[in-house]
């Protein structure tokens, strides 16, 4: 079982979308996603799809990458479509055995498919144009007003940065453990569901022991470097808002409102 | 700064990393139509280590952002994981540890998926619950026993 992982999906390109402030990108994409849920007809979805297409072209991301984000969900999307097609009451357009496809069902199904594809595509575009660390910084900055009511925004961002920093290391380690256990005769690819689950234990246990060790080492390293929490900490990269950030935010809001109204 | 506070942060971060890695790495580890999220086995951890509560929450958040499974999962999925992790930290006996994640995720995730897809709610609850049952009891509980034995508690 070889593990291939394209972590984070982030594509480091030099485009106007990549250069936008990650906080603005996060807010704008979030707003677009809310509008996707409010829109009720095809015109609205068509407008949002055009907006998405414009963003993809501007971001220089090959459209294939956006489709790749949809791939794991194709079955799920088709199932949703079929459920709507056959369970909605209305004018029957065709009949297959006991299943009756209705015109209303076809419409609902297509609307659902459009909604899902847009939702996933917008969030894929965000992760393609924003590195995980930029996203974490943006999240910390956006959540910082909540500090006043005791929300641990710095701690959450810190834990996220630690996690993101260690993911590639742990992927490599998991790979190594799997190889080591397979070399010792472990069989992780055959048997029924329960058997397969049980066979994962020899992989999980060493992974855990190493994780505990790493956590202790990391804590010690942080302590000797005088880590003192969020208070008075400065950043290497400060984000500043520019005109293009405001333009992007404004455009997403306008597109969202128009797509609901038409 | 308190030494325990730093250890808490470091551990939570690493639990999050392990959760995300297992979810992402073993995601194609499919059992036919039904899929089991192996990382859910970690949901038993809050009973021995409180830092696993934010750890699991963040792990689930990252896994759902990175995995490309859409925005619905990012918000609701991680919040249900957080609630389940908190409840697990409050249970008294080891064998009860897998119960909160199974119940919360089956009802929570099953329901929001069902509402979203306008499918029967019991259908969502059944499949999500079954996947959780296998991950938490089949993998999580043995893992918990192993960790207890290693740490000599």
């Amino acid at each position: 079982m070889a593990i291939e992982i394209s972590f984070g999906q982030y594509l480091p390109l030099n485009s106007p979308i990549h250069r936008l402030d990650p906080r603005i990108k996060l807010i704008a994409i979030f707003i677009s996603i809310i509008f996707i849920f409010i829109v009720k007809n095809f015109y609205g979805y068509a407008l949002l799809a055009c907006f998405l297409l414009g963003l993809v072209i501007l971001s220089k991301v090959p459209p294939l990458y956006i489709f790749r984000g949809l791939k794991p969900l194709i079955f799920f999307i088709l199932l949703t479509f079929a459920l709507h097609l056959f369970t909605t009451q209305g004018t029957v357009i065709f009949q297959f055995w006991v299943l009756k496809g209705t015109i209303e069902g076809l419409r609902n199904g297509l609307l659902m498919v459009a909604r899902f594809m847009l939702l996933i595509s917008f969030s894929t575009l965000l992760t393609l144009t924003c590195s995980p660390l930029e996203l974490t910084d943006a999240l910390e900055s956006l959540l910082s007003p909540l500090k006043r009511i005791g929300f641990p925004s710095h701690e959450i961002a810190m834990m996220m940065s630690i996690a993101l920093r260690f993911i590639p290391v742990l992927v490599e380690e998991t790979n190594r453990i799997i190889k080591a256990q397979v070399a010792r005769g472990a069989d992780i690819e055959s048997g029924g569901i329960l058997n397969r689950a049980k066979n994962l234990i020899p992989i999980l246990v060493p992974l855990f022991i190493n994780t505990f060790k790493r956590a202790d080492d990391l804590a010690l390293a942080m302590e000797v470097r005088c880590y003192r929490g969020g208070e008075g900490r400065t950043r290497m990269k400060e984000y500043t808002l520019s005109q293009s950030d405001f333009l992007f935010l404004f455009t997403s809001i306008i597109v969202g409102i128009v797509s609901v109204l038409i | 700064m308190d030494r325990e506070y730093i250890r808490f942060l470091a551990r939570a971060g690493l639990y999050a990393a392990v959760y995300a890695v297992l979810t992402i790495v073993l995601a194609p580890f499919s059992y036919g139509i039904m899929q089991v999220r192996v990382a859910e086995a970690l949901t038993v951890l809050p009973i021995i280590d409180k830092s696993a509560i934010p750890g699991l929450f963040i792990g689930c958040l990252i896994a759902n952002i990175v995995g490309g499974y859409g925005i619905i999962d990012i918000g609701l999925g991680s919040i249900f994981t957080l609630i389940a992790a908190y409840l697990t930290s409050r249970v008294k006996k080891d064998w009860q540890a897998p119960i909160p994640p199974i119940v919360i995720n089956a009802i929570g995730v099953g329901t929001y998926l069902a509402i979203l897809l306008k499918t029967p709610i019991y259908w969502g609850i059944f499949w999500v619950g079954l996947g959780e049952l296998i991950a938490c009891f089949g993998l999580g509980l043995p893992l918990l026993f192993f960790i207890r034995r290693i740490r000599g508690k």
Side-chain angles (χ1 to χ4, degrees):
Chain A
M1 189 165 82
I3 292 168
E4 276 173 37
I5 180 167
S6 57
F7 173 70
Q9 306 173 321
Y10 176 59
L11 264 187
L13 298 170
N14 186 15
S15 79
I17 302 290
H18 282 75
R19 280 194 297 271
L20 288 172
D21 189 310
R23 291 171 294 180
I24 295 294
K25 257 188 275 188
L26 200 66
I27 297 172
I29 300 280
F30 190 69
I31 289 172
S32 305
I33 282 166
I34 292 173
F35 279 116
I36 291 172
F37 274 105
I38 304 175
V39 171
K40 288 275 180 283
N41 60 32
F42 287 111
Y43 300 114
Y45 284 130
L47 182 66
L48 283 167
C50 289
F51 180 52
L52 177 73
L53 190 71
L55 292 180
V56 172
I57 292 169
L58 268 179
S59 71
K60 297 183 190 163
V61 170
L64 204 72
Y65 279 80
I66 303 285
F67 287 118
R68 211 178 278 174
L70 292 170
K71 226 168 103 186
L73 286 159
I74 284 180
F75 174 74
F76 186 66
I77 291 171
L78 287 177
L79 186 76
T80 315
F81 177 69
L83 276 169
H84 279 278
L85 181 61
F86 296 120
T87 56
T88 314
Q89 300 294 323
T91 327
V92 178
I93 39 171
F94 71 94
Q95 190 161 9
F96 175 69
W97 191 42
V98 288
L99 301 169
K100 285 178 189 153
T102 61
I103 192 125
E104 287 81 1
L106 186 69
R107 189 178 174 274
N108 282 351
L110 285 175
L111 273 177
M112 268 297 170
V113 169
R115 176 183 287 184
F116 266 112
M117 288 174 77
L118 280 173
L119 270 179
I120 298 157
S121 305
F122 268 104
S123 39
T124 308
L125 185 69
L126 181 70
T127 48
L128 280 169
T129 57
C130 237
S131 79
L133 275 176
E134 276 178 338
L135 275 180
T136 315
D137 281 349
L139 218 60
E140 179 178 1
S141 162
L142 290 175
L143 292 175
S144 58
L146 293 175
K147 255 187 208 163
R148 297 222 177 111
I149 55 163
F151 185 81
S153 62
H154 168 75
E155 280 76 6
I156 288 188
M158 187 70 202
M159 289 183 235
M160 258 182 114
S161 320
I162 294 175
L164 290 170
R165 192 249 166 271
F166 275 96
I167 284 173
V169 178
L170 290 180
V171 167
E172 211 185 299
E173 195 158 292
T174 314
N175 243 333
R176 223 173 26 232
I177 294 169
I178 290 175
K179 279 187 189 142
Q181 297 292 34
V182 169
R184 288 180 179 86
D187 177 17
I188 49 169
E189 283 186 321
S190 56
I193 294 173
L194 280 177
N195 219 13
R196 280 197 197 190
K198 218 173 71 191
N199 291 339
L200 281 174
I201 291 174
I203 292 158
L204 291 184
V205 171
L207 183 64
F208 260 86
I209 297 172
N210 287 347
T211 306
F212 288 133
K213 240 184 96 203
R214 260 181 217 285
D216 289 343
D217 289 349
L218 176 67
L220 193 67
M222 283 163 79
E223 207 184 332
V224 295
R225 281 170 180 77
C226 302
Y227 172 74
R228 296 190 177 284
E231 218 53 42
R233 216 170 134 84
T234 54
R235 319 189 151 275
M236 189 169 148
K237 199 174 166 189
E238 292 283 349
Y239 295 112
T240 42
L241 295 174
S242 66
Q243 267 181 345
S244 53
D245 291 317
F246 287 112
L247 186 70
F248 178 59
L249 187 63
F250 186 68
T251 319
S252 346
I253 296 171
I254 295 294
V255 169
I257 293 172
V258 175
S259 67
V260 171
L261 294 178
I262 57 171
Chain B
M1 190 54 61
D2 195 353
R3 173 175 288 187
E4 275 309 303
Y5 165 78
I6 298 178
R7 268 173 67 102
F8 184 92
L9 282 186
R11 286 201 164 197
L14 274 148
Y15 285 135
V18 173
Y19 185 100
V21 165
L22 286 178
T23 307
I24 300 160
V25 163
L26 298 172
F29 203 91
S30 94
Y31 311 101
I33 293 171
M34 199 189 71
Q35 294 208 345
V36 180
R37 190 177 255 203
V38 174
E40 283 292 313
L42 305 193
T43 52
V44 298
L45 288 175
I47 194 174
I48 47 171
D49 194 347
K50 296 269 182 292
S51 60
I53 303 173
L56 291 172
F57 168 66
I58 290 163
C60 191
L61 198 74
I62 295 175
N64 288 349
I65 292 173
V66 171
Y69 290 88
I71 195 79
I72 316 118
D73 257 0
I74 297 176
L76 289 174
S78 16
I79 287 180
F80 284 127
T81 303
L82 181 66
I83 297 169
Y86 174 73
L87 291 177
T88 301
S89 74
R90 310 291 296 178
V91 301
K92 295 277 180 290
K93 297 215 161 59
D94 277 1
W95 67 268
Q96 296 166 338
I99 297 173
I102 295 173
V103 174
I104 300 273
N105 282 315
I107 296 176
V109 179
T111 306
Y112 81 66
L113 275 181
I115 290 173
L116 218 74
L117 304 174
K118 293 183 186 151
T119 56
I121 289 176
Y122 62 85
W123 195 77
I125 292 177
F126 174 74
W127 283 110
V128 176
L130 194 64
E132 287 285 317
L133 195 75
I134 292 167
C136 297
F137 269 112
L139 263 174
L141 212 52
L143 183 71
L144 188 61
F145 293 144
F146 271 108
I147 293 172
R148 281 227 194 268
R149 214 167 66 191
I150 294 159
R151 296 168 113 204
K153 274 186 187 174

